[in-house]
């Protein structure tokens, strides 16, 4: 299922909350809410915004980091990775 940048996590949806959040964050990056090499909100801020636990947020961020969409800097936060213009963004596979 594809998620939009303004979607909310639904507790009764078939996808797990971390999968939903990963989709929402992916859509927000694609929309340009956060620019490459700029930090996304903290785990605590995202947990508050979406009504989720920090471990759930951490799993969503880890999934996006595995895709190469985000990267973590120890002690600094999580940042949006630069995408090469001739490559589709992660999660764009049709």
């Amino acid at each position: 299922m594809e998620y939009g940048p303004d979607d909310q996590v639904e507790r009764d949806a078939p996808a797990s909350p971390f999968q939903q959040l990963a989709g929402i964050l992916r859509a927000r990056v694609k929309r340009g809410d956060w620019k490459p090499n700029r930090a996304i909100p903290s785990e605590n801020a995202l947990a508050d915004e979406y009504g989720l636990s920090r471990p759930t947020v951490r799993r969503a961020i880890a999934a996006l980091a595995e895709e190469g969409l985000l990267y973590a800097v120890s002690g600094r936060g999580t940042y949006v990775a630069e995408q090469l213009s001739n490559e589709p963004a992660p999660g764009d596979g049709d």
Side-chain angles (χ1 to χ4, degrees):
M1 179 168 190
E2 192 163 321
Y3 296 94
D6 298 316
D7 287 349
Q8 292 296 314
V9 174
E10 297 178 18
R11 300 263 180 221
D12 58 349
S16 67
F18 95 86
Q19 291 170 322
Q20 293 179 61
L21 181 60
I24 293 166
L25 296 179
R26 184 182 302 110
R28 291 184 69 181
V29 169
K30 286 167 58 173
R31 181 171 71 182
D33 288 8
W34 307 299
K35 302 295 182 208
N37 297 312
R38 297 291 180 209
I40 67 169
S42 70
E43 290 176 0
N44 283 334
L46 290 170
D48 289 344
E49 180 177 349
Y50 291 99
L52 299 170
S53 67
R54 277 189 61 212
T56 299
V57 171
R58 195 172 295 126
R59 278 186 76 187
I61 290 172
L64 296 177
E66 281 186 34
E67 292 177 11
L69 190 63
L70 302 176
Y71 65 95
V73 176
S74 183
R76 302 279 303 168
T78 303
Y79 293 78
V80 176
E82 284 197 55
Q83 302 300 312
L84 299 176
S85 59
N86 61 347
E87 290 185 16
D92 271 356
D94 289 322

